[in-house]
Amino acid sequence: MRVHCLFEQSGTFKNEFKKLGYEAFDYDIQNDFGETDYQIDLFSEIAAGYAGGRSIFDEITEDDLIIAFFPCTRFEARIPLEFRGEAYQQKNWDDSKKLEYAMKLHKELHRNYELISQLAALAIDRGLKMVIENPYTAPHYLTMYWCLKPAIIDKDRQLNGDYYKKPTQYWFIGFEPRQNLVFEPLDYVPGKIIEKATSENGKKREVIRSMIHPQYANRFIRQYLIEGGK
């Protein structure tokens, strides 16, 4: 089994898979961590693959595994506030500016919704195994308006060794999550508060918020993704 980590440039899941003996690769348009194996526009690849054109998905087989950390910025809980013109940064905007921004935001939301749906449909049509990760917050656009239901909802990631509590949902396509037991005790990981994470080692707030601790990645892989949990 080869593992394809889409929208991951940190190498976190990729490197934990490698430690467990699997061939794994990161795909992203950026390479801020020096871990991106294939620096490509994944949105274009998804659209091309869904339309039947050439794409990276031509090289992925039914024996492989895809993990997609699909960008969530347009599905987040704050988006309805911005549509209503009630976000903090909009307090001095006039109605015309709010309307123009809302139309732009809606186009971006529609594009992301269409792309994540194309990604899921592409995996279903080709018989590929895929996990899609996104936050589990209220209100979250996918939770309210997507026909696919998550197989796993992790309401407190710190309980499995992560930096953040950050509730997260995982959709499993083409297979069911395993239910392996992971017995070893957790190493202590100092918690972080997302709202106060503005910058760290030159990384933007959005990048910091998306980080996952290697311990969490390792336990998730062994608990849900590989046979026997190793």
Side-chain angles (χ1 to χ4, degrees), residues 29-216:
I29 198 168
Q30 297 178 328
N31 189 25
D32 295 343
F33 296 82
E35 291 282 354
T36 306
D37 300 289
Y38 297 97
Q39 194 167 353
I40 54 175
D41 182 351
L42 285 167
F43 282 177
S44 296
E45 295 293 319
I46 292 168
Y50 178 76
R54 289 181 57 83
S55 72
I56 60 167
F57 298 98
D58 297 336
E59 308 302 321
I60 299 175
T61 73
E62 295 178 2
D63 295 324
D64 293 346
L65 174 64
I66 302 168
I67 303 181
F69 302 90
F70 196 91
C72 62
T73 55
R74 290 298 175 256
F75 301 139
E76 289 179 332
R78 65 180 174 83
I79 296 302
L81 283 176
E82 296 187 5
F83 275 123
R84 296 195 300 268
E86 296 173 356
Y88 177 79
Q89 70 271 20
Q90 296 172 298
K91 63 180 181 179
N92 295 321
W93 293 11
D94 60 26
D95 287 343
S96 178
K97 185 173 181 178
K98 290 177 181 178
L99 288 168
E100 291 295 331
Y101 182 76
M103 288 188 284
K104 174 179 176 292
L105 189 63
H106 195 274
K107 287 180 182 178
E108 294 172 359
L109 173 62
H110 173 74
R111 180 171 181 259
N112 279 23
Y113 183 83
E114 195 170 65
L115 283 165
I116 197 171
S117 298
Q118 289 176 354
L119 176 62
L122 192 158
I124 293 169
D125 292 344
R126 298 192 182 199
L128 303 178
K129 296 190 290 291
M130 178 184 291
V131 178
I132 299 177
E133 177 271 346
N134 233 240
Y136 181 74
T137 52
H140 189 276
Y141 198 83
L142 296 179
T143 302
M144 294 189 297
Y145 300 117
W146 212 23
C147 61
L148 302 183
K149 306 302 179 187
I152 295 172
I153 297 173
D154 189 345
K155 294 185 178 180
D156 188 348
R157 292 189 346 203
Q158 286 183 316
L159 296 178
N160 232 356
D162 197 25
Y163 303 109
Y164 300 118
K165 180 175 181 178
K166 193 179 180 182
T168 304
Q169 54 192 330
Y170 301 89
W171 290 267
F172 279 61
I173 297 172
F175 73 116
E176 295 295 325
R178 300 179 185 275
Q179 298 297 332
N180 299 318
L181 297 176
V182 178
F183 290 105
E184 76 267 14
L186 291 168
D187 291 332
Y188 173 71
V189 176
K192 295 182 179 181
I193 300 174
I194 293 174
E195 288 75 13
K196 293 184 179 179
T198 55
S199 64
E200 186 176 290
N201 298 325
K203 302 295 188 298
K204 294 180 180 179
R205 179 175 182 271
E206 292 78 9
V207 174
I208 297 169
R209 292 173 68 235
S210 69
M211 295 299 295
I212 297 174
H213 194 279
Q215 179 175 219
Y216 179 90

